[in-house]
Amino acid sequence: LSERSKLPSHLALALVANPDADRETSEQYMLKSVEQIAGWCRAVGIRRLTVYDREGILQESFICCLHPK
């Protein structure tokens, strides 16, 4: 990795589900991706991470965790 003289304070991540994968597989992949990127941001000092999920897969996952059936 190359050294940078300036580091962004905010990183935006746009997630797109794989159209060939089922919803659960996409959810697990997205969650793992966000977890890894959040760790990288923390390690290098990026303080804000925004995640865009056009299909709402992660939002549905979060709501299900808060309000299980």
Side-chain angles (χ1 to χ4, degrees):
L1 294 175
S2 63
E3 297 269 336
R4 295 204 170 265
S5 60
K6 291 178 71 175
L7 190 65
S9 61
H10 184 192
L11 179 70
L13 175 65
L15 299 174
V16 178
N18 180 345
D20 298 327
D22 61 44
R23 199 158 182 93
E24 185 176 338
T25 301
S26 291
E27 176 187 337
Q28 292 303 314
Y29 182 77
M30 287 178 170
L31 287 170
K32 187 65 175 173
S33 296
V34 171
E35 178 183 16
Q36 288 178 333
I37 292 169
W40 295 334
C41 286
R42 184 175 181 158
V44 299
I46 297 174
R47 299 181 63 162
R48 180 183 282 173
L49 173 63
T50 299
V51 178
Y52 296 99
D53 169 20
R54 188 170 79 182
E55 289 88 9
I57 294 171
L58 294 179
Q59 182 178 1
E60 289 173 13
S61 174
F62 182 72
I63 290 170
C64 289
C65 290
L66 292 177
H67 305 288
K69 294 179 182 177

